[in-house]
Amino acid sequence: MNAPSTIDLAHMSAMDLAHAAHLLKGVRDATLSGRRPRVLPRPVIGDSWERMLLGGVDPDHDHRSRLLTEEDLEERRRASPLMEILPVLRDALVSVADAAQHIMVVSDADGRVLWREGSAAVLRKADSLGFEPGADWGENVVGTNGIGTPLVVRRPVQVFSAEHFVRTHHPWTCTGAPVTDPRDGRLLGVVDVSGPLQSIHPSTLALVDSVAKLGEARLRDRHVTALDRLRAVAAPVLARLDGRALAVDVHGWTAAVTGMPPADRLTLPKSFGAGHSWLPALGSCLVEPLPGGWLLRLENPGDVPQPVAATRLVLDVSSPRRWTLSVLGGAHDWTHELSPRHAELLYLLCTYRTGRTASGLAEDMFGDPARTVTVRAELSRVRRYLGGLLAHRPYRFPEDVDVDVITPRSPADLLPHSMAPAVRAARRLTEP
C-alpha cells in the first residue's frame, strides 16, 4: 500500500478554495478522531495539532482569554523593541495587506496582539474572532494559528483554513514570521498577515518572512551604532590601562579590547553588575559601568583562564521556549541560556553519553551526515563557554561528570521548534 501523501499548500491554493477547505477539514477531522487521513497534514501543522490535543485545547469552541487593559497594552507597546521597527513593518506590509483584503498584526513574544492595521472590513471580521489588540493568540490558548505557532517553532508558518486547530478560525488564512533580537537571539514577537481564506497566496509566506528579516536588519543597524558609541567612550579609557581589559555592551558584545585578542561576544550572567565577577571565558574580573555597557579588567592578567571544572551538568529543556545549561560543583557554578540550535545539540549529546561524531550529529540534526561543517562550527561556539567539559573526536562529556536532563511533562513540548530528525523521533518515542 502506498504511503499517504502530505498536504502541498501551493497546490492547495491553486485548487477551488471551497474544495481545498473541505479537503483540509477531512484531514483535520480524521486526525483529531485518531484515524489516519488519506492525505497527511504538513509536519508543522501535524506537530501543532498534536500539542493541542495533549494540551487539552478545545478544537470546536473558541476560547478567548482576558484582554489586556488599555494601560497594560500601552505599557507592553512601549517596552517592546518592535516599536522601533514598526514603521518598517507598516511601510512594507500595510498597503499590501489592505489591497489584498488582509490585515497586518504584530504580537509580542507572549502572543499578545500589540498592533493591527489594514482593511477596515477585515478588521471588523477579526473583531468577531477576538483577534484584537490586547488579545492572547498564543498557541496554547487559541490553537494552531499564524501567531502562536511561529512563536513555538521559531520559523515562518502559513496556516490555511482547517489547518487552524479551532473550528471557528477555518474561514481565515494566517501567515506569520517570528522576529528575533539580533543582539541576543531573544524572540521578540511575530509579524502576521491575516485575512479571509479566499485571499490565500503562497508568496505571502516569503513576503512576511522577508519583512521580518528587514525589521531584524534595522535592529542590527541600531546595535552597530550603539557599539560604535560605546567604542568611542571606551577607547580612551582602555588606552590608559595596563594589562588585559575590554569593553562590552549589556549583551556581552565586544566594543574594544586591550592586551588580549578580541572576541565577538562574551556570555554574561543574568545578575551581572559592577564589582567583582567571574566569567567562564575570562576568569575573575573587576567590572565597572560605562555608558551603554561595562568595562571588564582581568584581575589576574597573567593567568590564562582554566578549563571549566564541574561535577554536574544540568540541561533544562522543560520549557517550550527557554532552555538552559547549568554547570555545577566547580569553583564557580553558573547557568547559561541556550540558543535553539545549541539546545538541540546539547540535548543530543546528553542522549549519546558515549559520544557522537560530527557526521552522526549532522545526521541527527539534518538527516544528512555530510553537513559536518555546520555542526563543528556550532560546537566550537559551545566550547567557548564549556571549555574542557566538551571533548571531541567524538564529541562527548567527561565520564566523571553527572549529566541530568530535565524534560517537559508533555513529550510534544520537547524542543517543539526543532525539525531535527532525532528530536522528532524522541518526541514520538517518549509519548505514553
Side-chain angles (χ1 to χ4, degrees):
M1 180 182 295
N2 293 331
S5 59
T6 301
I7 292 289
D8 182 338
L9 200 57
H11 177 67
M12 295 285 291
S13 63
M15 298 170 56
D16 174 78
L17 290 177
H19 177 66
H22 178 74
L23 175 61
L24 281 172
K25 181 179 182 301
V27 172
R28 172 184 174 275
D29 291 348
T31 302
L32 268 57
S33 65
R35 294 181 285 112
R36 188 171 180 82
R38 182 167 53 88
V39 182
L40 296 177
R42 294 182 290 140
V44 67
I45 300 298
D47 289 349
S48 176
W49 288 353
E50 186 177 333
R51 290 192 296 272
M52 300 308 94
L53 289 168
L54 291 172
V57 176
D58 189 336
D60 294 315
H61 297 91
D62 185 1
H63 173 73
R64 302 178 192 179
S65 65
R66 183 177 60 85
L67 288 175
L68 295 174
T69 64
E70 282 295 328
E71 293 78 10
D72 288 342
L73 177 59
E74 285 304 318
E75 184 177 343
R76 286 200 183 217
R77 285 172 170 170
R78 286 192 298 269
S80 174
L82 295 176
M83 179 173 274
E84 299 179 39
I85 61 171
L86 192 58
V88 174
L89 305 180
R90 282 175 172 148
D91 290 346
L93 285 179
V94 171
S95 61
V96 175
D98 197 8
Q101 292 296 293
H102 275 73
I103 56 174
M104 180 196 77
V105 181
V106 179
S107 84
D108 64 14
D110 295 326
R112 289 285 184 175
V113 176
L114 298 184
W115 295 280
R116 290 185 327 172
E117 298 182 42
S119 165
V122 180
L123 285 171
R124 288 192 295 271
K125 291 180 180 179
D127 287 341
S128 69
L129 292 174
F131 197 25
E132 55 190 310
D136 187 347
W137 274 69
E139 198 186 53
N140 62 327
V141 175
V142 296
T144 309
N145 72 90
I147 287 179
T149 302
L151 285 173
V152 172
V153 301
R154 299 179 72 103
R155 61 183 183 278
V157 179
Q158 188 168 41
V159 184
F160 172 56
S161 186
E163 289 186 320
H164 288 90
F165 186 77
V166 178
R167 179 169 47 82
T168 51
H169 303 158
H170 291 182
W172 281 77
T173 176
C174 305
T175 306
V179 180
T180 58
D181 192 327
R183 298 169 297 182
D184 56 12
R186 180 168 56 101
L187 193 59
L188 299 177
V190 165
V191 57
D192 167 273
V193 168
S194 293
L197 65 88
Q198 291 85 356
S199 55
I200 184 176
H201 197 285
S203 65
T204 306
L205 186 67
L207 171 65
V208 175
D209 186 31
S210 296
V211 172
K213 286 182 169 56
L214 184 64
E216 291 174 349
R218 180 62 58 88
L219 290 172
R220 190 175 297 109
D221 290 343
R222 294 194 176 200
H223 181 222
V224 170
T225 300
L227 275 179
D228 287 341
R229 286 197 298 265
L230 176 58
R231 187 174 298 114
V233 171
V237 175
L238 292 174
R240 297 193 296 268
L241 298 179
D242 295 325
R244 295 189 294 168
L246 68 163
V248 300
D249 71 4
V250 295
H251 302 280
W253 290 93
T254 303
V257 301
T258 184
M260 59 187 295
D264 289 339
R265 188 184 180 198
L266 293 176
T267 301
L268 303 181
K270 282 188 173 292
S271 58
F272 196 68
H276 298 278
S277 186
W278 182 89
L279 298 175
L282 299 177
S284 296
C285 302
L286 177 62
V287 182
E288 302 174 43
L290 289 172
W294 304 101
L295 173 67
L296 279 61
R297 296 198 232 181
L298 277 66
E299 295 189 293
N300 298 303
D303 294 341
V304 176
Q306 296 300 309
V308 178
T311 59
R312 186 176 176 225
L313 295 178
V314 179
L315 177 67
D316 188 345
V317 291
S318 59
S319 167
R321 286 169 47 190
R322 182 178 179 272
W323 318 281
T324 61
L325 180 71
S326 296
V327 179
L328 309 172
H332 301 275
D333 294 346
W334 55 277
T335 297
H336 177 53
E337 190 162 336
L338 301 171
S339 69
R341 181 55 54 81
H342 287 186
E344 291 173 304
L345 283 167
L346 289 170
Y347 172 76
L348 292 172
L349 286 172
C350 289
T351 302
Y352 296 104
R353 284 306 313 276
T354 57
R356 195 73 167 147
T357 64
S359 61
L361 285 170
E363 186 168 10
D364 295 337
M365 289 288 296
F366 310 111
D368 180 1
R371 292 187 62 178
T372 56
V373 172
T374 302
V375 167
R376 290 192 178 103
E378 290 294 345
L379 288 175
S380 176
R381 297 183 182 101
V382 171
R383 295 188 75 189
R384 291 177 189 173
Y385 52 85
L386 276 185
L389 287 176
L390 179 60
H392 63 292
R393 298 181 182 175
Y395 292 102
R396 66 197 184 280
F397 299 117
E399 292 182 2
D400 58 350
V401 173
D402 293 328
V403 178
D404 295 328
V405 181
I406 304 174
T407 54
R409 286 182 293 179
S410 171
D413 286 332
L414 174 63
L415 302 174
H417 68 278
S418 178
M419 295 299 289
V423 175
R424 289 176 60 84
R427 288 200 289 257
R428 300 292 186 271
L429 288 172
T430 52
E431 288 176 17

